[in-house]
Amino acid sequence: MTYLLFVVGLVALFFGGEYLVRGASAVARHFRLSPMVIGLTIVGFGTSAPELLVSVQAALAGQPAIAIGNVLGSNIANILLILGTSATIAALLIPARQLWRDLAFMLVATGAIWVMLLDGTVTRIEGGILFTGLVVFLATAFLTGKVEEEEVTLGDIPQWKAWAMTFGGLVVLVIGARLLVDSATEIARAFNVSEAVIGLTVVAIGTSLPELATSVIAAIRKQTEIAVGNVVGSNIFNIFSILGITALITPIPADPRFATIDMPWVAGTAVGLTILAFVLGGLPRIAGLMLLAAYGGYVFLMG
């Protein structure tokens, strides 16, 4: 039954995230936002909703290792697994001139959470600092992301249906997140696997399914701005929003392994993506295969 609930939770997260993203993207058309900004904000936030729900519920349930491991593992999976898979399907162009500010936000967020993890606790004050970073990022993105209506090329969905999809997706995500946290914890205990490792791998991959689906579909449709913006925006939201909001609700104790073992991977992938954006201007298929190989190595080491 535990395994069945785990699978049901993953499926609920996937479909809930999918409908949330489609609905929120359609709503965004009303505000005439560019595909890049939609990918960075609306889609990035929508696909990060599972991580937010899982982390908050895990922290409140006294499982801080899953709360932090979920975020760090998701950021690693977003770049190595999701961009790797997307680039393998279709080479991704990364418009560094458009993304430099957002890449900088991602690097700042990564450095900030690394410093906060060093003393073993993400406090409420630190949570407030992270959340402030989210507000600044959103304000910057929306103020600079307006385009003419004809430039926005997302699907035509009636507004009432878009809002219904958005809220319906959120409801399904809440249910899926609860099932996933409960079943993942039981599986971890059954196999004597630490909650930190479960959060960094199984739960992180499960909650990253919406990002994976979104970026892969965008890559197939040659909408690389949404594919890349989704991942960069999601990584920013994961730190500023998820850990920020979770820490504001309740301080998060942090296992020392996060700062010493996992953060180097998080920082390395963020820096690596930034370098590829400025040096190569994107991710060719060979780079996508290398990212996937790196993720396989990461999962093997964590196991």
Side-chain angles (χ1 to χ4, degrees):
M1 180 59 69
T2 300
Y3 292 99
L4 177 60
L5 292 177
F6 184 82
V7 173
V8 171
L10 287 179
V11 172
L13 284 173
F14 179 81
F15 284 103
E18 171 70 11
Y19 278 98
L20 173 61
V21 168
R22 290 176 58 192
S25 297
V27 170
R29 294 186 72 249
H30 176 72
F31 298 99
R32 294 184 297 179
L33 296 172
S34 71
M36 177 61 73
V37 172
I38 290 173
L40 284 164
T41 57
I42 304 298
V43 177
F45 181 78
T47 55
S48 289
E51 285 95 334
L52 173 60
L53 296 168
V54 168
S55 291
V56 170
Q57 292 176 8
L60 292 176
Q63 300 157 349
I66 286 183
I68 297 177
N70 173 40
V71 168
L72 301 188
S74 291
N75 276 25
I76 295 170
N78 282 349
I79 294 176
L80 296 183
L81 175 62
I82 294 174
L83 281 186
T85 302
S86 302
T88 301
I89 294 172
L92 298 178
L93 295 177
I94 301 178
R97 291 183 180 179
Q98 297 180 37
L99 266 181
W100 69 267
R101 180 179 55 245
D102 308 298
L103 291 170
F105 267 105
M106 182 176 67
L107 294 175
V108 169
T110 301
I113 193 59
W114 198 346
V115 171
M116 293 175 184
L117 290 174
L118 290 174
D119 65 359
T121 304
V122 182
T123 66
R124 282 195 172 92
I125 293 177
E126 291 171 335
I129 293 173
L130 293 176
F131 189 76
T132 300
L134 173 67
V135 173
V136 173
F137 169 68
L138 285 176
T140 302
F142 281 108
L143 289 175
T144 60
K146 291 284 187 177
V147 298
E148 294 300 321
E149 186 171 2
E150 61 267 22
E151 293 183 50
V152 182
T153 57
L154 293 176
D156 293 322
I157 299 177
Q159 284 296 303
W160 69 267
K161 186 176 181 180
W163 285 110
M165 291 169 63
T166 301
F167 288 111
L170 273 175
V171 172
V172 176
L173 283 172
V174 171
I175 297 172
R178 181 71 268 168
L179 293 175
L180 189 64
V181 171
D182 291 344
S183 57
T185 303
E186 290 301 319
I187 292 172
R189 291 170 179 167
F191 285 90
N192 294 317
V193 177
S194 70
E195 290 183 355
V197 172
I198 290 292
L200 283 160
T201 54
V202 178
V203 177
I205 294 174
T207 55
S208 291
L209 283 176
E211 285 99 329
L212 179 60
T214 302
S215 289
V216 167
I217 292 172
I220 293 174
R221 296 177 179 175
K222 307 297 182 183
Q223 296 175 325
T224 57
E225 288 188 359
I226 290 182
V228 177
N230 170 40
V231 166
V232 175
S234 180
N235 279 16
I236 294 170
F237 276 112
N238 282 350
I239 296 174
F240 280 157
S241 175
I242 295 173
L243 289 183
I245 292 174
T246 303
L248 281 172
I249 295 173
T250 178
I252 314 173
D255 191 298
R257 63 154 293 155
F258 290 127
T260 58
I261 298 176
D262 305 304
M263 277 310 305
W265 279 88
V266 177
T269 54
V271 171
L273 178 61
T274 303
I275 292 174
L276 288 172
F278 281 92
V279 175
L280 298 181
L283 295 175
R285 282 191 171 90
I286 185 65
L289 291 172
M290 292 174 63
L291 291 178
L292 287 176
Y295 190 69
Y298 168 73
V299 172
F300 176 77
L301 293 174
M302 290 305 101

